[in-house]
C-alpha cells in the first residue's frame, strides 16, 4: 500500500470504473443541486410551495377556463353556468388582424405578408451559421431588403402598388419595422461612433463624444419628440419626412449612442498586443479594425449587444408618444372597445402583448447564447 | 522609395541617427547611433528597463520619438502613414507575448497579411503559409486555434506568420522570455535556422548561448544608452565597460 512504504511502483494500470449510482444521473443531480445541504433543502421546499401556489391559478385562468372563441362579449362575462370565466382569447382572435396590420388597407395586406416573409428569410439566412453564401445574404439583408420593404410597404404607384401612407400602418407591422431599422442601423453606426470617440483627430473625437453624451443624457421620449418636431425645421417643406420616418431616425440615433458605448467597452478589452501585431504586419487602420480588432471586440461584448437589442425592441413601444400606432398601442386601443368590454379583456390583452414581446426577446437571447457558446469553444484552452 | 539626398545605400538595412525618446519627463533613449548592414545578426542585451525593447519597437514605428532619424531599408520613418506602412510590410516582428489572433486558425493567422496587404490569391497564400509552417516544424497544427497550442508552438507560429510577408528584416522582442524552459530550445533552434538563411535579424534577448552562437555583433544597452558594441567573442571574454562586466557576471553564473 502506498501509505506505509517510502517508495512505490505501480505494477498494473488502474482501470477506469463507472461512477457510483447514487452520485450520478438524475438521482445524483437531484442530490447535488436540490438537496445538498439543509439550507438547499429548505430553499427547494419553499420554491416548490411557491410554484404550487402560483401555477395552478394561472393555468386555470389562461388555459382551462379561458374562452377560446365567441361572437360577442356575453360569452366572456360571468353567468350562472360560467361563474368564473378565464382569459377572453376570443377578443384577441377577433381583433387579431388589427393587432398585426393596424389600419393597413385590407386589399393590400398581402404586401405586408410578403414583407414579413422576406424579413424572416433574411434573418434566417444571416443567423444560420452554416448557410451557403452568407456574404450574398449580407448584401440581401442590408441593401436589397430595405429597398424591397420600402417599395412593398409604402407603395410605388408606378409599379402598380398603390401608395399606403405610414399613418395607416400599425400593430406588429410597425413594431417590427421600428425595431429592425433601429437594430440594423445602430450596430454599424455605433461602431463608427465608438471608433470616432477613440480617434486621435480632435474634431472627430469631439463630435462623436458630444453626440453620444447628448443622446444618452436625454430620455428616448424626448429624442422622439425632438426628431418629430425639429427635423421638419431643418429640411425644406417638400422633403419633410413623414411621421414614421422621423420616429425611425430618432430611434436609430438613440440606439446608436448606446451601442457606441457597448462597442467601446469591447474595444478597450482587446489587448494592445493585438493592435501591435496587426500593425507590425503592415495592416492599415481600417483593415486592422475589420479583420483583427472588431471581431474580437464584438465577440467579447456580444451579451451586452444583445441586451441593448432586446431593450430597444421593447422601447419601440414609446413611439406612441408621437402618434404612431405600434403593437402595444393597438392593444390599448382595442381593449376599450365597448363591443368586448368585460372584466377580463384588459388582462387578456396585456397577457397577449407580454407573450409576444417575450417570444421575440427570448428568441434573440437564445440565439445569442448559441453564438456565444460556439465562439467560446474556439477560445477554450 | 523616397529620393532624399542622403538616401541610405542599399546595403544598410537599418540606420539610427541621433535618436532620443522621452516618455513625459523620463529620457528613455539617449543619443542612439547604430547602423545594421544587410544580412547582419544583432543581439541587443542588457538589464531590464534599459531601453532595448523600446529601441526595437522604434524601428517599425510602434513607438515614436521626439528627436533623431531612423531609416529602414532606404525609407525614412516619419509621421507619414504611407511610409510607415511601407516599412512595416518589409519588417517582420515577433513579440514576447506571441500576439497571435485568437479568433483565427493558425493557417488564417499566417495568410491574413499576405491576402489583405499583398493581395495574394487565397490558394497561393495558403501554400506559402504551409511552407513556412513546415519550416518551423508544425504543419499539422494548421487548422487549430492558437489557444490549443503550447507556448513554444505559438511562438513558432508567430515566427511563421511574420515570415509569410517575406520581410527583409526580422525583429525579435524577447521571443523566449514568456516560455516554459523546456520550450525555449525549440524556438531558439528555429531562430538559428533562420539566421543561417541570411535574413537581417535584430534580437532582444537574455539568451546568451544563442547570442554567442549566432550574433555578428552584440549591442549592450543600459539606462537608455548604447554602452558597448562588440563581436560576441570579445564581448563575452573581455567586456570593456564596467556595466557590461557587471551584467555578464550576473547572467553567466
Amino acid at each position: 500500500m502506498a501509505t506505509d512504504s517510502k517508495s512505490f511502483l505501480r505494477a498494473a494500470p488502474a482501470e477506469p470504473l463507472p461512477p457510483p449510482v447514487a452520485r450520478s444521473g438524475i438521482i445524483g443531480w437531484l442530490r447535488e443541486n436540490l438537496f445538498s445541504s439543509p439550507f438547499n433543502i429548505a430553499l427547494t421546499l419553499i420554491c416548490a410551495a411557491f410554484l404550487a401556489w402560483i401555477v395552478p391559478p394561472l393555468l386555470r385562468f389562461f388555459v382551462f377556463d379561458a374562452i377560446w372563441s365567441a361572437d360577442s362579449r356575453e360569452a366572456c362575462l360571468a353567468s350562472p353556468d360560467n361563474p368564473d370565466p378565464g382569459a377572453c382569447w376570443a377578443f384577441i382572435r377577433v381583433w387579431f388582424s388589427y393587432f398585426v396590420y393596424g389600419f393597413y388597407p385590407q386589399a393590400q395586406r398581402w404586401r405586408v405578408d410578403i414583407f414579413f416573409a422576406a424579413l424572416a428569410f433574411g434573418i434566417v439566412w444571416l443567423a444560420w451559421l452554416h448557410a451557403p453564401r452568407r456574404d450574398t445574404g449580407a448584401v440581401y439583408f442590408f441593401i436589397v431588403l430595405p429597398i424591397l420593404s420600402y417599395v412593398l410597404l409604402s407603395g410605388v404607384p408606378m409599379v402598380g402598388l398603390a401608395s399606403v401612407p405610414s399613418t395607416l400602418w400599425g400593430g406588429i407591422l410597425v413594431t417590427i419595422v421600428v425595431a429592425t431599422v433601429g437594430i440594423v442601423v445602430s450596430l454599424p453606426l455605433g461602431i463608427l461612433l465608438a471608433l470616432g470617440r477613440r480617434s486621435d483627430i480632435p474634431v472627430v473625437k469631439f463630435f462623436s463624444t458630444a453626440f453620444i453624451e447628448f443622446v444618452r443624457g436625454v430620455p428616448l421620449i424626448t429624442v422622439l419628440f425632438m426628431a418629430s418636431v425639429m427635423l421638419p425645421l431643418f429640411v425644406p417643406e417638400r422633403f419633410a419626412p413623414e411621421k414614421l420616418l422621423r420616429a425611425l431616425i430618432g430611434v436609430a440615433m438613440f440606439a446608436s449612442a448606446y451601442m457606441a458605448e457597448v462597442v467601446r467597452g469591447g474595444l478597450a478589452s482587446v489587448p494592445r498586443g493585438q493592435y501591435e501585431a496587426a500593425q507590425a504586419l503592415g495592416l492599415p487602420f481600417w483593415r486592422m479594425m475589420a479583420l483583427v480588432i472588431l471581431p474580437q471586440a464584438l465577440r467579447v461584448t456580444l451579451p451586452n449587444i444583445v441586451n441593448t437589442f432586446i431593450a430597444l425592441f421593447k422601447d419601440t413601444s414609446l413611439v406612441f408618444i408621437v402618434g404612431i400606432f405600434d403593437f402595444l398601442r393597438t392593444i390599448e386601443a382595442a381593449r376599450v372597445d365597448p363591443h368586448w368590454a368585460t372584466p377580463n379583456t384588459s388582462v387578456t390583452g396585456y397577457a397577449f402583448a407580454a407573450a409576444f414581446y417575450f417570444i421575440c426577446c427570448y428568441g434573440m437571447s437564445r440565439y445569442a447564447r448559441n453564438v456565444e457558446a460556439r465562439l467560446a469553444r474556439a477560445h477554450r484552452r | 522609395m523616397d529620393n532624399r539626398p542622403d538616401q541610405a545605400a542599399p546595403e544598410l538595412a537599418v540606420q539610427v541617427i541621433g535618436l532620443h525618446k522621452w516618455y513625459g519627463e523620463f529620457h528613455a533613449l539617449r543619443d542612439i547611433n547604430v547602423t545594421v548592414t544587410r544580412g547582419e545578426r544583432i543581439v541587443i542585451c542588457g538589464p531590464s528597463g534599459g531601453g532595448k525593447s523600446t529601441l526595437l519597437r522604434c524601428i517599425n514605428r510602434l513607438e515614436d520619438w521626439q528627436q533623431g532619424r531612423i531609416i529602414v531599408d532606404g525609407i525614412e520613418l516619419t509621421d507619414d502613414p504611407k511610409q510607415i506602412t511601407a516599412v512595416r510590410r518589409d519588417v517582420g516582428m515577433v513579440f514576447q507575448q506571441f500576439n497571435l489572433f485568437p479568433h483565427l486558425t493558425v493557417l488564417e493567422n499566417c495568410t491574413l497579411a499576405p491576402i489583405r496587404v499583398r493581395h495574394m490569391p487565397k490558394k497561393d497564400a495558403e501554400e506559402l503559409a504551409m511552407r513556412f509552417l513546415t519550416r518551423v516544424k508544425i504543419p499539422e497544427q494548421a487548422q487549430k486555434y492558437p489557444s490549443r497550442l503550447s507556448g513554444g508552438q505559438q511562438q513558432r507560429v508567430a515566427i511563421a506568420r511574420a515570415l509569410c510577408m517575406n520581410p527583409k528584416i526580422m525583429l525579435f522582442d524577447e521571443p523566449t522570455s514568456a516560455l516554459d524552459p523546456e520550450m525555449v530550445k525549440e524556438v531558439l533552434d528555429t531562430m538559428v535556422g533562420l539566421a543561417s538563411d541570411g535574413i537581417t535579424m535584430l534580437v532582444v534577448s537574455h539568451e546568451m548561448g544563442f547570442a554567442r552562437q549566432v550574433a555578428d555583433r552584440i549591442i549592450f544597452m543600459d539606462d537608455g544608452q548604447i554602452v558597448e558594441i562588440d563581436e560576441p567573442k570579445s564581448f563575452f571574454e573581455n567586456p570593456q565597460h564596467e556595466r557590461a562586466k557587471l551584467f555578464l557576471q550576473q547572467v553567466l553564473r
Side-chain angles (χ1 to χ4, degrees):
Chain A
M1 300 281 280
T3 45
D4 51 7
S5 61
K6 269 208 185 129
S7 58
F8 170 73
L9 185 66
R10 186 172 281 285
E15 292 296 329
L17 298 168
V21 174
R23 297 238 165 238
S24 66
I26 294 190
I27 303 178
W29 186 90
L30 283 173
R31 280 184 78 146
E32 217 180 284
N33 291 295
L34 298 183
F35 300 109
S36 58
S37 69
F39 179 66
N40 216 341
I41 295 174
L43 270 185
T44 303
L45 291 175
I46 292 175
C47 286
F50 180 72
L51 286 174
W53 178 53
I54 285 273
V55 174
L58 283 177
L59 276 179
R60 184 203 72 76
F61 184 83
F62 285 113
V63 182
F64 298 124
D65 284 347
I67 317 295
W68 292 91
S69 75
D71 287 322
S72 68
R73 54 193 284 268
E74 274 76 42
C76 287
L77 286 174
S79 63
D81 40 54
N82 194 1
D84 208 358
C88 194
W89 297 119
F91 155 69
I92 304 287
R93 289 174 74 151
V94 165
W95 278 94
F96 190 71
S97 56
Y98 176 61
F99 293 149
V100 175
Y101 302 102
F103 287 121
Y104 210 89
Q106 197 96 19
Q108 309 291 331
R109 285 185 179 173
W110 59 272
R111 288 154 56 173
V112 180
D113 296 333
I114 296 184
F115 161 70
F116 282 142
L119 181 64
F121 176 70
I123 290 175
V124 167
W125 193 354
L126 281 188
W128 182 30
L129 295 161
H130 298 290
R133 305 248 53 190
R134 282 174 83 208
D135 40 355
T136 319
V139 170
Y140 166 79
F141 192 80
F142 290 103
I143 300 178
V144 174
L145 191 58
I147 302 174
L148 183 69
S149 311
Y150 179 78
V151 167
L152 274 174
L153 295 174
S154 272
V156 175
M158 276 195 293
V159 199
L161 293 170
S163 172
V164 178
S166 64
T167 43
L168 292 181
W169 306 5
I172 290 181
L173 166 63
V174 165
T175 295
I176 296 280
V177 166
V178 176
T180 306
V181 169
I183 287 173
V184 165
V185 168
S186 67
L187 192 53
L189 195 53
I191 291 173
L192 285 177
L193 283 169
L195 291 176
R197 192 164 183 170
R198 284 167 63 102
S199 168
D200 291 323
I201 306 168
V203 171
V204 171
K205 185 173 182 156
F206 174 75
F207 278 112
S208 304
T209 311
F211 179 89
I212 294 171
E213 292 300 339
F214 176 72
V215 173
R216 277 201 319 168
V218 157
L220 176 56
I221 290 187
T222 315
V223 174
L224 287 171
F225 265 135
M226 289 171 66
S228 223
V229 165
M230 284 167 55
L231 270 176
L233 300 176
F234 288 113
V235 177
E237 189 71 41
R238 290 179 297 129
F239 297 120
E242 48 177 1
K243 217 163 30 157
L244 181 63
L245 186 57
R246 283 179 245 156
L248 286 176
I249 292 174
V251 168
M253 279 178 20
F254 187 78
S256 303
Y258 275 82
M259 192 59 71
E261 287 300 283
V262 168
V263 171
R264 198 168 68 94
L267 286 173
S269 77
V270 177
R272 257 208 91 201
Q274 293 293 306
Y275 289 85
E276 291 181 350
Q279 287 166 342
L281 285 170
L283 283 167
F285 179 80
W286 287 106
R287 262 170 273 180
M288 168 180 77
M289 280 299 166
L291 298 169
V292 176
I293 308 297
L294 281 175
Q296 295 184 57
L298 294 178
R299 248 159 250 248
V300 165
T301 58
L302 191 62
N304 219 340
I305 290 176
V306 174
N307 208 32
T308 309
F309 284 167
I310 290 175
L312 173 64
F313 189 84
K314 293 179 295 177
D315 281 345
T316 58
S317 54
L318 289 173
V319 296
F320 84 92
I321 214 93
V322 288
I324 294 174
F325 271 71
D326 78 299
F327 172 64
L328 198 56
R329 185 82 186 83
T330 56
I331 302 261
E332 285 281 319
R335 75 183 179 95
V336 296
D337 173 21
H339 207 65
W340 282 94
T342 75
N344 291 331
T345 308
S346 296
V347 176
T348 311
Y350 287 128
F352 177 64
F356 171 75
Y357 281 114
F358 179 78
I359 290 171
C360 292
C361 295
Y362 188 67
M364 284 194 256
S365 170
R366 275 249 55 140
Y367 175 71
R369 286 242 298 274
N370 282 340
V371 175
E372 270 179 71
R374 189 186 69 95
L375 295 175
R377 257 175 298 185
H379 282 234
R380 222 181 309 141
R381 307 204 126 265
Chain B
M1 304 288 149
D2 59 351
N3 295 312
R4 291 164 198 262
D6 51 348
Q7 181 182 344
E11 302 94 55
L12 285 177
V14 178
Q15 267 183 299
V16 179
I17 304 167
L19 187 73
H20 289 263
K21 178 182 170 63
W22 284 265
Y23 281 117
E25 290 292 316
F26 174 63
H27 199 171
L29 291 176
R30 309 182 196 185
D31 198 27
I32 308 287
N33 289 282
V34 156
T35 52
V36 179
T37 51
R38 198 173 291 293
E40 220 184 338
R41 286 90 48 117
I42 308 261
V43 171
I44 308 175
C45 65
S48 296
K52 316 184 293 293
S53 290
T54 312
L55 174 60
L56 200 75
R57 289 151 61 92
C58 285
I59 295 176
N60 66 355
R61 192 80 184 192
L62 285 182
E63 303 277 357
D64 62 1
W65 53 89
Q66 288 74 31
Q67 208 177 317
R69 300 166 62 201
I70 298 186
I71 302 169
V72 176
D73 207 36
I75 307 174
E76 171 145 5
L77 278 174
T78 57
D79 288 330
D80 183 0
K82 286 212 181 67
Q83 306 264 58
I84 296 176
T85 321
V87 164
R88 285 176 179 165
R89 256 179 249 152
D90 287 327
V91 174
M93 185 153 184
V94 175
F95 298 86
Q96 186 176 354
Q97 300 296 336
F98 331 137
N99 289 337
L100 293 180
F101 305 134
H103 61 297
L104 300 175
T105 61
V106 161
L107 189 67
E108 287 166 348
N109 259 276
C110 294
T111 57
L112 179 76
I115 295 175
R116 301 290 183 171
V117 178
R118 295 216 190 273
H119 304 293
M120 215 186 269
K122 188 164 170 206
K123 259 198 162 335
D124 297 349
E126 287 182 351
E127 261 180 51
L128 180 75
M130 284 312 293
R131 234 187 304 139
F132 281 115
L133 285 173
T134 314
R135 193 59 195 288
V136 299
K137 299 207 177 58
I138 40 171
E140 71 283 355
Q141 311 287 348
Q143 296 305 329
K144 291 208 185 143
Y145 284 95
S147 57
R148 298 279 190 206
L149 305 181
S150 73
Q153 290 171 323
Q154 288 188 46
Q155 193 63 298
R156 285 186 279 157
V157 172
I159 295 175
R161 177 177 70 173
L163 289 175
C164 280
M165 286 295 281
N166 272 319
K168 303 203 180 80
I169 302 167
M170 280 286 275
L171 306 175
F172 292 85
D173 189 359
E174 305 212 34
T176 57
S177 298
L179 294 175
D180 292 337
E182 64 264 24
M183 295 186 224
V184 170
K185 182 176 187 308
E186 66 194 45
V187 174
L188 287 180
D189 286 343
T190 312
M191 288 166 66
V192 168
L194 270 183
S196 57
D197 279 347
I199 194 169
T200 313
M201 286 168 65
L202 280 98
V203 182
V204 172
S205 183
H206 299 293
E207 295 289 331
M208 293 300 132
F210 171 79
R212 210 195 291 249
Q213 187 184 351
V214 156
D216 294 320
R217 278 191 292 162
I218 297 192
I219 296 179
F220 179 75
M221 280 184 74
D222 188 11
D223 263 347
Q225 316 157 44
I226 294 185
V227 169
E228 191 169 332
I229 306 184
D230 243 339
E231 294 189 359
K233 200 160 147 51
S234 44
F235 180 74
F236 285 111
E237 283 172 18
N238 193 15
Q240 305 281 331
H241 203 281
E242 273 311 304
R243 281 188 266 184
K245 284 189 196 152
L246 185 62
F247 176 73
L248 283 176
Q249 269 173 16
Q250 291 168 330
V251 166
L252 302 171
R253 267 170 280 126

